[in-house]
Amino acid sequence: MKQKLLMMMLAVMALIAAPQVAKAQTYTVTFTASKGGTIATDYAGGVSVNNGTTTFQAAKGATVQFTVTPDKGYKLSSLIVDGFDVTPYVQYDSNNKVNSNINNIQNNRSVKATFVLRADLNNDGKQDIADLMAMLTLISNKSYNEAADLNKDKKLDMKDVKAFVEMIE
């Protein structure tokens, strides 16, 4: 009986003295992308969203790298991270993608990308002959409109018309 009691006491002491393994703390990361583009990351085995919302878990302190990619004929209109508009600070790579990070995750985080049609000069949600006519009018009037400057050379000319035609093919 004493031996059994001693064994039970030793077992309880071993449990108390054993190091406790803490469960890794995670937070939810939410990606939301409008129609016209994708937000993607290699984190968590690869996560991607186009025209919708997805969530995944990230470890406390982790850095999540992500890429924002407009579809053909679209451009990034806004990028909101945790409720803050970071659009003025984004840098595009040579493929018109935005590569960014969420660093040192300490709470739930969110990234929202909104895309719009490029060269939708009359804002009707389409790229069509009306937009082409508007572009040609701007060119003939020697006017400038950033939305029509498809090759981003700060001037409107037939190169932009060619880019428009290629974009809608």
Side-chain angles (χ1 to χ4, degrees), residues 31-160:
F31 283 171
T32 303
S34 72
K35 176 182 176 186
T38 303
I39 306 173
T41 182
D42 289 335
Y43 194 90
V47 175
S48 176
V49 63
N50 180 302
N51 197 22
T53 299
T54 191
T55 61
F56 59 93
Q57 297 298 304
K60 180 178 181 177
T63 294
V64 174
Q65 297 177 329
F66 63 92
T67 302
V68 178
T69 308
D71 292 342
K72 182 179 180 183
Y74 285 81
K75 68 178 182 175
L76 179 65
S77 173
S78 67
L79 184 62
I80 310 296
V81 178
D82 299 328
F84 296 98
D85 186 355
V86 299
T87 312
Y89 312 106
V90 299
Q91 303 234 341
Y92 297 89
D93 68 13
S94 61
N95 296 315
N96 201 32
K97 296 180 180 182
V98 174
N99 298 295
S100 192
N101 301 321
I102 305 172
N103 297 313
N104 191 23
I105 293 178
Q106 298 294 324
N107 51 20
N108 294 336
R109 306 295 297 271
S110 65
V111 177
K112 180 180 180 183
T114 303
F115 303 92
V116 295
L117 280 169
R118 294 177 68 209
D120 179 17
L121 301 178
N122 61 359
N123 296 314
D124 66 354
K126 301 180 285 190
Q127 297 161 318
D128 56 18
I129 192 72
D131 298 305
L132 180 58
M133 295 304 296
M135 182 182 288
L136 291 170
T137 299
L138 287 167
I139 292 169
S140 70
N141 292 336
K142 298 187 185 324
S143 299
Y144 181 75
N145 179 322
E146 184 179 3
D149 185 10
L150 297 179
N151 61 359
K152 298 179 183 173
D153 64 356
K154 305 291 185 205
K155 61 183 178 182
L156 297 182
D157 54 25
M158 294 309 288
K159 292 177 186 173
D160 296 298

